[in-house]
Amino acid sequence: PFAAAERDFAATLAALLTLLVRPAIDGQTPLIAIGSSTPGSGKGLLADLLCLIALGEVAPRWAPTHEAEEERKRLMTIALAGEQVAMIDNVQGMLGSEALDMVITAGMVYDRALGSHGLLKAPWTTVLFATGNNYRHNYRCYRKVKQFIYIRHQRFSNRFY
């Protein structure tokens, strides 16, 4: 199912291993990007399968947003909740923001508490997935995406095993 079979299989295996050993990693992990040229090719299904194998649950999803304030709040909420994995699902156009860059590279996330001058602080230990059709990463985010899996133009539901 992979476009570049060896490279994409290696990235898939790296994604699985990242999920399995994340608690032992003292530092940050790259965003795991899964792309395709067509809807229905199994991007979310692949991410769910990897998460089910490694964690016993599917990745919680959220829709991408281009509003910086909303993105920052979402990421802080994920950090405060201590989520093991999260997925930005169905990215269209460009992926990347200052807040996303921050959590991919920072071990600790800081933000102002809503409605006060208090400071919120939480460790970032979440493995992030992003899925989408023909999307791109902005120049800052691109350097932090080390595991890109590209699925060939084929509807997942049409495969026979």
Side-chain angles (χ1 to χ4, degrees):
F2 302 121
E6 291 175 7
R7 183 199 69 208
D8 293 331
F9 179 74
T12 302
L13 184 58
L16 179 61
L17 291 173
T18 299
L19 289 166
L20 287 169
V21 302
R22 179 61 180 114
I25 297 173
D26 184 26
Q28 298 318 109
T29 57
L31 182 140
I32 300 165
I34 304 175
S36 179
S37 61
T38 183
S41 58
K43 298 171 295 295
L45 193 57
L46 177 60
D48 284 342
L49 178 64
L50 294 172
C51 291
L52 278 170
I53 291 169
L55 307 172
E57 62 185 15
V58 298
R61 293 162 162 77
W62 86 83
T65 181
H66 296 290
E67 296 178 25
E69 191 73 17
E70 179 64 23
E71 179 102 335
R72 185 178 55 79
K73 289 176 186 176
R74 287 180 183 184
L75 293 168
M76 187 65 195
T77 301
I78 290 169
L80 288 169
E83 291 289 338
Q84 292 180 295
V85 66
M87 185 188 329
I88 307 168
D89 199 20
N90 293 320
V91 176
Q92 296 178 3
M94 189 73 67
L95 175 68
S97 68
E98 287 82 6
L100 188 59
D101 293 343
M102 177 187 66
V103 299
I104 294 173
T105 59
M108 192 66 68
V109 180
Y110 297 88
D111 202 354
R112 181 178 60 85
L114 189 62
S116 75
H117 296 291
L119 181 68
L120 294 174
K121 174 174 123 173
W124 184 263
T125 58
T126 305
V127 176
L128 275 177
F129 280 87
T131 66
N133 297 311
N134 299 316
Y135 74 95
R136 302 176 320 275
H137 304 93
N138 73 14
Y139 71 96
R140 288 184 319 268
C141 186
Y142 184 78
R143 297 181 309 115
K144 300 164 181 105
V145 177
K146 300 295 184 204
Q147 300 168 3
F148 190 85
I149 304 162
Y150 194 80
I151 299 174
R152 277 186 302 186
H153 177 80
Q154 180 180 14
R155 294 196 66 82
F156 195 82
S157 58
N158 293 344
R159 292 196 194 130
F160 295 98
Y161 296 98

